[in-house]
Amino acid sequence: MSNARRSERGPMMTGGTPLRSLDEEELLGHIFPAFPPGADLVVAPGDDAAVLRTSDRTIATTDTVVLGRDWLDAWSSGADIGHKVVAQNLADVAAMGGVPTGVLVTLVADPELSLEWVLDHVRGLAEVCTAAGVAVLGGDLSSAPPGVVMVSVTALGRLDGEPVLRSGARPGDVLAVHGSLGLADAGLRLLQADAPDRLPEATERQRRPEPPLAAGPQAAAGGATAMLDVSDGLLRDGGRIARASRVVLDLDLSALVPDVDALADVLGAEQALDCVLAGGEEHSLLATFPAGVLPAGWRAIGTVRAVRDDEAPAILVGGRVVTHTGWDHFRAT
Ligand SMILES: Nc1ncnc2c1ncn2[C@@H]1O[C@H](COP(=O)(O)OP(=O)(O)O)[C@@H](O)[C@H]1O
Ligand SMILES: Cc1ncc(C[n+]2csc(CCOP(=O)(O)OP(=O)(O)O)c2C)c(N)n1
Ligand SMILES: [Mg+2]
């Protein structure tokens, strides 16, 4: 391979032991010891499939990250990516009102990828699983063309009550958030500007989202009528609740001032507002609750009202339509 081709691949693939020097069994022999034991794991990884003791209703979700689309080698370590891909999956389980129980992990990689990156990656994902009491059930390995690395995680979860859907918001409900808004997008912008140290909290959130997992089942038990995690931006994800529930969500801009202020010194007021309204990858939880029942840790950021004859279901800011769009994988902007 030419040096030019190697340098395109970046440090993940240019130092250490390339995966092509191992066979699959050897690689799995390195990977399995990193996984947490898992109290409900009846058959651990290594057989044709794992066996997990679980509830009678199981939540299932999957999310994938791709090098160059979801992270750059220069920004994130293997452990960061392990943390991120698991956290974003567990956030989807929490957003249904469930408790995550297990994950399956598929790594598809250029054989030049280093074993050291993979082991760091496995350590990062095992850390999140251990902290959340989640078992690693297994996964798959496959090779990929030059420069390609992707990790796909499938998460399972237990549902103790009723699932909280996107479609249950009712006029008169309060719109509330648990967690920060805009930090991960601010971190992305700072990484893109090669200035990650200007707001370390933001770059850390971009690298390692911290979804409030316990707040999902807490919200479900506390009467949440609709819920999701903010992965594509407050307005875009809020719009999904509005359309599924056939209501109008009206954001109260004054409730978002602390989020904007936390970013404005570094990014300026306009970009800070953009991050808060449209920033993806935050994985905070957004939910609606009947008025007067907001559980601890949730803060009201708006209201839910009926759709008028002359309008469609939508999310508004201070009663007005806004044009910030949020993240979309396919649309060229
Ligand atoms: N390729 C696909 N095939 C089948 N279902 C899909 C596919 N991609 C997404 N979905 C489903 O569409 C819905 C929305 O997906 P997505 O926007 O990724 O949700 P989230 O933001 O919660 O991860 C989910 O129910 C998901 O399972
Ligand atoms: C190199 C790079 N470019 C762009 C982004 C920004 N980005 C990637 S995915 C995404 C949105 C969330 O991802 P998605 O797969 O849509 O999550 P889901 O909604 O399925 O949970 C954003 C803002 C990034 N993190 N890294
Ligand atoms: Mg998804």
Side-chain angles (χ1 to χ4, degrees):
M1 181 180 313
S2 72
N3 284 338
R5 189 50 172 274
R6 270 189 180 278
S7 64
E8 269 168 35
R9 282 181 159 138
M12 282 167 69
M13 302 191 202
T14 49
T17 314
L19 295 185
R20 65 175 154 71
S21 63
L22 296 90
D23 65 29
E24 277 186 45
E25 270 72 24
E26 284 172 324
L27 179 53
L28 291 175
H30 284 288
I31 290 175
F32 287 161
F35 294 157
D40 292 323
L41 204 50
V42 181
V43 177
D47 217 298
D48 296 309
V51 178
L52 180 73
R53 203 174 287 112
T54 185
S55 60
D56 61 351
R57 284 188 297 175
T58 299
I59 298 172
T61 181
T62 190
D63 252 314
T64 301
V65 289
V66 178
L67 174 61
R69 300 292 182 186
D70 295 279
W71 88 93
L72 296 187
D73 196 5
W75 297 350
S76 297
S77 67
D80 291 336
I81 294 313
H83 178 112
K84 183 169 182 167
V85 67
V86 170
Q88 75 187 49
N89 272 277
L90 303 191
D92 279 324
V93 173
M96 295 303 287
V99 177
T101 52
V103 292
L104 292 152
V105 185
T106 295
L107 171 68
V108 181
D110 179 343
E112 294 301 319
L113 179 64
S114 79
L115 173 64
E116 290 74 11
W117 190 92
V118 175
L119 297 184
D120 189 42
H121 170 69
V122 170
R123 194 174 50 74
L125 75 84
E127 254 170 38
V128 184
C129 290
T130 303
V134 167
V136 181
L137 304 171
D140 194 25
L141 293 169
S142 190
S143 59
V148 174
V149 179
M150 72 143 244
V151 186
S152 184
V153 168
T154 296
L156 302 179
R158 193 179 73 228
L159 197 57
D160 293 325
E162 290 303 312
V164 184
L165 310 183
R166 297 173 175 193
S167 52
R170 294 289 168 261
D173 284 355
V174 171
L175 179 68
V177 70
H178 195 298
S180 54
L181 290 167
L183 267 183
D185 188 20
L188 177 64
R189 290 168 194 232
L190 292 173
L191 286 162
Q192 284 167 335
D194 207 13
D197 299 334
R198 294 196 61 204
L199 195 54
E201 198 190 346
T203 36
E204 187 61 12
R205 186 55 54 92
Q206 165 60 219
R207 290 184 174 122
R208 296 190 175 219
E210 293 289 352
L213 298 178
Q218 174 213 27
T225 50
M227 182 158 56
L228 47 63
D229 71 307
V230 180
S231 58
D232 294 328
L234 177 59
L235 291 180
R236 198 174 182 94
D237 289 318
R240 290 174 172 147
I241 290 182
R243 286 191 300 279
S245 302
R246 300 207 52 77
V247 293
V248 169
L249 306 183
D250 196 1
L251 281 173
D252 172 8
L253 209 43
S254 69
L256 303 176
V257 167
D259 304 273
V260 176
D261 282 354
L263 309 175
D265 282 351
V266 170
L267 293 178
E270 199 178 320
Q271 277 206 54
L273 182 61
D274 210 50
C275 289
V276 170
L277 292 178
E281 302 176 286
E282 197 75 10
H283 302 294
S284 294
L285 293 177
L286 180 70
T288 54
F289 295 88
V293 304
L294 219 53
W298 289 83
R299 58 193 171 107
I301 58 167
T303 50
V304 183
R305 68 165 171 80
V307 178
R308 296 183 188 130
D309 287 344
D310 60 342
E311 63 183 2
I315 183 161
L316 310 179
V317 181
R320 288 164 197 241
V321 177
V322 282
T323 51
H324 300 258
T325 48
W327 178 263
D328 190 288
H329 273 297
F330 295 108
R331 193 160 72 184
T333 42

